[in-house]
Amino acid sequence: MIGRLHGIVAEVDEEEALIDVAGVGYVVRCGARTLSRLPEVGGEAVVHVESQWGEQTGLTLYGFLGREERRAFVILKTIQGVGPKAALAVLDVLSPAELAAACARDDRAAVARAQGVGPKLAQRIVLELKGKPITEGPVAAFHATAAPSVPVKPSASGEAVAALMGLGVAEPAARRVVEQASLRLGEDAEVQALIKAGLQELGR
């Protein structure tokens, strides 16, 4: 799965941004706070990504400008009743540090300021996160490589598979055609070449 994107901001709308990485456009869903802090269109950005796969929705990328925000998002989603939309809403009104402080002092009202988060859900979030280091250790249980000391660049094959899945290709088919393309074009093949060859194999 994709963990980080380094590219050019191509488009920004109310709920997502389009990040151009070597000619491949990745649609990344972001909270309002993240979108407001992105560089202007045409600017260069590094976006930390949490990838989620759904049977009906396919691959969805959630983007954050800070690694700690991504970690907090991961932990929030483990709480019953907190989906990606609610987790983004919480991080729109509270930074990870502010969220930890609110939970430590039982400030349910602060959490409930998030759009779509009612008093009962805010209470559950506070109770489950109180006393837990939101921006450190716990994330390792969910993502062993969430915080590498040196960011690992996604492989060209991995990016090509993700791009094809973003175009609606099922994961098994995307992996199959990219593997075939990689064998034909060699290990040094670029992402764009692999995507093009994969689409040709699929007859698109």
Side-chain angles (χ1 to χ4, degrees):
M1 289 295 185
I2 297 172
R4 190 177 74 116
L5 295 174
H6 183 184
I8 304 299
V9 179
E11 297 177 17
V12 177
D13 65 19
E14 293 182 357
E15 296 184 342
E16 58 194 29
L18 181 66
I19 308 297
D20 187 316
V21 181
V24 179
Y26 293 86
V27 176
V28 185
R29 297 188 68 83
C30 305
R33 181 189 292 233
T34 297
L35 291 171
S36 69
R37 291 159 54 206
L38 280 173
E40 295 183 358
V41 172
E44 186 174 340
V46 175
V47 181
H48 297 271
V49 172
E50 176 64 22
S51 302
Q52 180 172 302
W53 173 261
E55 290 295 332
Q56 297 183 351
T57 58
L59 181 67
T60 303
L61 306 180
Y62 296 92
F64 311 89
L65 293 184
R67 189 176 295 162
E68 288 191 347
E69 292 172 331
R70 177 193 170 195
R71 293 174 178 176
F73 175 80
V74 171
I75 294 174
L76 279 165
K77 287 201 299 109
T78 66
I79 299 173
Q80 183 180 1
V82 179
K85 188 173 182 179
L88 288 177
V90 170
L91 293 174
D92 274 346
V93 298
L94 296 169
S95 68
E98 291 168 340
L99 175 60
C103 293
R105 63 175 184 267
D106 286 321
D107 191 349
R108 303 166 192 174
V111 179
R113 288 191 292 115
Q115 185 175 2
V117 176
K120 289 185 178 180
L121 185 54
Q123 179 179 10
R124 184 181 301 142
I125 291 172
V126 168
L127 289 175
E128 294 205 22
L129 296 186
K130 186 176 182 179
K132 295 182 179 179
I134 294 173
T135 60
E136 295 181 354
V139 76
F142 311 112
H143 288 279
T145 59
S149 56
V150 179
V152 178
K153 182 180 179 181
S155 68
S157 294
E159 289 193 32
V161 170
L164 291 175
M165 289 168 63
L167 295 172
V169 179
E171 183 176 5
R175 292 191 180 282
R176 175 177 56 80
V177 296
V178 168
E179 287 175 3
Q180 292 174 348
S182 182
L183 288 173
R184 291 200 311 271
L185 301 176
E187 295 181 357
D188 295 330
E190 295 184 353
V191 176
Q192 288 175 284
L194 292 172
I195 294 172
K196 183 177 180 181
L199 290 173
Q200 290 176 341
E201 181 70 24
L202 293 165
R204 297 191 179 189

